[in-house]
Amino acid sequence: MSTEMSYTETRRDSVCEGLNTDVTEGPPPLSDEVRNEQDLRLAATYVNDARNGCRGNFKSDPKSVRLYNLYNQPAFFWTSHVAVGVLISLVLFEDPAVPSIRLDYWITMCVELLCVGLIFSRLAHQGVFSSEENFWRSKRRLPFLIILLLTLVDMVLYVILSEIGVTSVRFSRPLRPLLLLCMDRAKQLRAVFKNILLTLPDIITVLTLFLLSVAFFALMALKIFQNRRNLVNYSDGQPYMHNYLDTFFHLYVLVTTANFPDVMMPAFDYNAWFTLFFIIYLIICLYLFMSICLATIYNNFKEHLKEYVEDSVREKQDNLQLAFDILKVETGHGEKLLPKSRWMSLMRTVHPSRLDLEHSLLWDVLANKHTGYISKSEFFHVANLLDIQVLEVKDREPEFQRWFPRCYTSKASRLIRKTVANSCFSRFFRYFIDLAVVANAVCIALDEEDFEWFFMALFVFEILLKFYVFGLKKFFHSAMNMFDFVLIVAALVINVLELAWTSISNQTGALDFLLVLRLLRLVRLVYAIERFRIVLKTISSIGRSLLTYGGVLFVFFYIFAIIGMEAFSGKIIPEPVLANRTQNQPILCGNPKLNGTQFAMNRYCNNNFNDILHSFVVLFELMVVNQWHVLAEGFVAVTHQAARIYFIVYHLLVVILVLNIFSAFILELFMLEYTMSKEPAERRESIIERRITVMGLDEDESTYLNDLENEETDTNIRGGRRPGQSPAMRFRLPRGANKVEELLQKMYEIEREEDKSDV
Amino acid sequence: MSTEMSYTETRRDSVCEGLNTDVTEGPPPLSDEVRNEQDLRLAATYVNDARNGCRGNFKSDPKSVRLYNLYNQPAFFWTSHVAVGVLISLVLFEDPAVPSIRLDYWITMCVELLCVGLIFSRLAHQGVFSSEENFWRSKRRLPFLIILLLTLVDMVLYVILSEIGVTSVRFSRPLRPLLLLCMDRAKQLRAVFKNILLTLPDIITVLTLFLLSVAFFALMALKIFQNRRNLVNYSDGQPYMHNYLDTFFHLYVLVTTANFPDVMMPAFDYNAWFTLFFIIYLIICLYLFMSICLATIYNNFKEHLKEYVEDSVREKQDNLQLAFDILKVETGHGEKLLPKSRWMSLMRTVHPSRLDLEHSLLWDVLANKHTGYISKSEFFHVANLLDIQVLEVKDREPEFQRWFPRCYTSKASRLIRKTVANSCFSRFFRYFIDLAVVANAVCIALDEEDFEWFFMALFVFEILLKFYVFGLKKFFHSAMNMFDFVLIVAALVINVLELAWTSISNQTGALDFLLVLRLLRLVRLVYAIERFRIVLKTISSIGRSLLTYGGVLFVFFYIFAIIGMEAFSGKIIPEPVLANRTQNQPILCGNPKLNGTQFAMNRYCNNNFNDILHSFVVLFELMVVNQWHVLAEGFVAVTHQAARIYFIVYHLLVVILVLNIFSAFILELFMLEYTMSKEPAERRESIIERRITVMGLDEDESTYLNDLENEETDTNIRGGRRPGQSPAMRFRLPRGANKVEELLQKMYEIEREEDKSDV
């Protein structure tokens, strides 16, 4: 039956074939009733790909599918990721290494070779299950291979050169973080980099114009102050704006505001009206151009974000389409739908560990009540549905209920549970605990250590009470409870250890840690206030994506750190014994060239590129921008004027480009949250969530109290739970869309629905 | 006839009555043919109000209308504005005055009294023509009066107190700039302040959370470094993070990045891992919270901007509705429309100086071709139409054509004109001039003065040629040409003066000015490149609104400057002869309390509050943020710790609030320009502009060449211009919407059209 397709179906299939080869050619014709294992596995693979949001370019023959599933096995997956991680962290041990953990070059070389081999084998694995054209079509395969090959060439060259006594540069090291971009699950990281690349043309226009203005003002400043060469000077007698390149650099630094108002003061002292030059310059180049940079980046970002979400949704649907095409059967009415039997087989393949009951529940949610089948459009929701956590009843029962059922359901216990869960009492209880937290903080601030044990006991009691009433699972579901628990347990452990070994109580490290733990309890208070909670929720919803931007920054930091270490390592050495120095001896950071520089005067000796950790700190300081010109001038003093280029390029790339993209991201996210909150509630939740809510299968705070009351009336018929009232399993719907990705996709779906209703 | 209204008309009218009292009650019933002068004037007043975007709350009786028109007369209008300007600039002369222009207090008092009197009379004028309730309903009347009264009370008090020898503070001075907000045409300024007020609640939530985090981290830092009191110190031996308020202030400054990495260095030198504390702090409080601030402000700004535009459009339509209701007559079909006779009378009242021909042309554009009337919806476009510049043919003829018609139309002349106007040649001509500009700049850079006269001659020749071909009006219509002209003429004048009096050539001020003029020619080059032109056009379209934000900043600067002068004036005195000092003598800025402070070491003596100009420079420096803690600590050293509050409040208000609103404005504008550019061309121009284009009444570049060719073929029939081909008047449509206001209104109209089509 499935070979007889309507014209449109054939066309769509052929499109899919173009994307994923050999879908309909490969498998032999099958009977209607018994789909064989292989087809189910293929469909399950597509469903998993849809859930993971990736497109595995595997051939559809059984062997390739098996290899592809093997490829996605956690063991294989993590091995290659760990290899990349180790490769990247090798920089800690290679020269210039972090002093205490330096390793000889042959050790790091061996580890590097092993890692490259592992990563290469991962790539080879891909090559086996991908068709050749698909393998090379993916834009990240070729750079991936090239980086690996370059690393090998570099290693061989380095070994040869170092054997014949020539010091050489490991040129492949800055390329290492790019391997991160080529990893399978680094989709969002790649998206940000693609976004940066796509934004470049527009931003280059603005930046060129900006640099031209700087050049123009520099020429003006040079000419104006050349005429007053003898009248205007820096306070240390240095000439003021005396050559073009210096003037340009000073004015560039001025845009970052790092040398303001110092760079203006000599002119200001000479004649107050010269401040106008600097004010006009700052208004044009700082306030205007930098705002325009942000606007351009935001504009581009918004557009490309939409494209990215569209691509993600399309990819997901392509995968589900392929799975559906394999599974569908033709019903009496000539429609192609998915019957329950095949659904159950599919689910058993996708989730072999779960119960049939759960698969059946999912079917109830997805399937059309009237036809008893799942249509294609309903099947498209399967990826979202599978991501919703399903709780069994026994998961929802507090542990005490299972362990001591009689005690737990006793009258006294029920009273306690009701009062704790009851909103009115729980509020007073919370206020009391909050008050205790404040009192605790005040005690810490006043160094009153006496009450510490009392507070500790109170907080432990609170947690135990919550354990008893809500059960462990429910308790740990709340991130705030988890946070409390970790703080208290850690503090408890340290306190006990402190009692046991008094030597620890003198170790400041442990004390600091304890202090931070105690103070962190204050975060609870902020969470207790509604207005703040909204902001905090937005921040926590950003959380995961912050990691993506952290990754982007890491790539930039790593590349610049390696280049910086090659150029500047060992040039600046921190002076170890600062206390013993006499007052008159100037600090030189181990390099006489630094004499008289602001760098040495500010005692910036620790800001060096001597190992990767120090390099990261310096790069962070450069990112924060303030005093970056002092840092730059320090490194220029010990090397060459050209070193300024390194610092300017870093500023342009990281501060102007990446940080503005980060700002654009937060802006867009806020606008999104805001737009979503304006949408009516029923549009905000997806179709699946709506169905679950309508069917009463969702689990939330209110269900707990309901259950409590049900229990009270039903104590007699325990064990024989009334059907329908308290279903055996419940979905835990994500309240207030946690992931940005999901938020974006929902947003996109709302827009698409609007577009449809317009047509 | 006009008394018989349909139900809906009545209702709408009554709404309008609610807004503007006594509209339909006042005037006596009139005959259809001859509307009397008074009604026309009332209607014309409404039309003018619609054009100016204001709602004059005047009573509709003839006397009030006449008074209201008098009120809007430029003489009256400017008198009061100048009075406010003088009142505000009095601060230059009052103690602490700019040294060279100090006036005795009785002089400034007399001027102040005069200004207050003038402003008060303006308010009284308003009181005469407004109905009482309307007068008090306007939200700016009461504060206006209160400020004026407070000023009077303050003056009296000050005089009395100074006579009995008590020094007192002029407390009404910081209120002066608020008068600016109450002026009639300061609508946009008021809108921004309203926006700031409306944004406050949301931003306060975020800022509170932010300050709580700072407080939290400060407590942590205090506790951590208290344990190491003897190990961690500043390089000058000062204790590090030793008391809570100092620690809080240091960490607050750290969020502005002004003291980074210096504040971190002692901890870094002690143990590298302490950098983590600062990095985490900066990530949370700087990158996260500051981005969230911007997002919150942007979000609010966008919403309130929309409300503002809606209000403006509604106000305009209310005014036009009132005018239309006065003018309309009922036609045969029972519709209420505006006939041509009344249109002409109205226009003669609105624009008595213009020709009837022009009014007739406007009628042709507005009126419906089929009915021969103007409907209400068409009448709503009248305000926009009147703002489009109308050019008569003689305006468009180059002056040479009028002065020397025979010479101008001769063959040789026509050849020149064709080659200059021709796009291909003109491009080469432009390239040549651009090359000359570059060569000129290079000469300036290399101090080659010899070629200056050659370049000058070339540029003058270019301008003369353009005069000849395009005529003065057309030449000066282009802002770029105007710019060129001003630069060249000014340079020419200075050069000639320089030749005449050699003494000037030694004055560096004149030389500087000349230099700037010469260099500014380089801006032409940027304008020649298409990619840059787009950015520049956006910047120039921002121009006017930048003034609004300049005004907002001015108000804040002024208030803070006055407060600053009261608190800090005379405490820091610049040292006059810096050159004569010996190296060892420390700079103390005339105040021994500054000994050892960074303020004195950085030679910031000129950054003081001794007069309003210096105060503005200091406030600008504080706005740029860098080194603001050094400035703050300087003023704290000469006064009291509490002075920190002044600087923190300034930072919160000006840097976090106002500058972010400015960023939000530029962001929104860019998004707007972008959205507009995506709209199809016919939607981008308003209905009126579309009609003008369709009727061939628009004037642009292409029409010039057309005219030239027409002229060539029609040389025989000069004087008898063919009708229709070259109309006697043309509209000069604003290409690429210059004003932000217009852009916003267009945007809003597009949205409304979409909403309508949805329904």
Side-chain angles (χ1 to χ4, degrees), chain A residues 228 269 512 531 606 626, chain B residues 205 223 228 269 512 606 626:
Chain A
R228 297 168 176 78
D269 288 337
D512 286 343
R531 289 181 75 93
N606 251 320
N626 197 57
Chain B
T205 308
K223 288 289 146 188
R228 298 166 177 78
D269 288 338
D512 286 343
N606 250 320
N626 197 56

Side-chain angles (χ1 to χ4, degrees), chain A residues 166-181:
Chain A
V166 180
T167 52
S168 67
V169 170
R170 285 291 314 270
F171 63 85
S172 72
R173 295 207 302 167
L175 301 176
R176 282 181 194 162
L178 297 180
L179 289 176
L180 266 186
L181 290 180

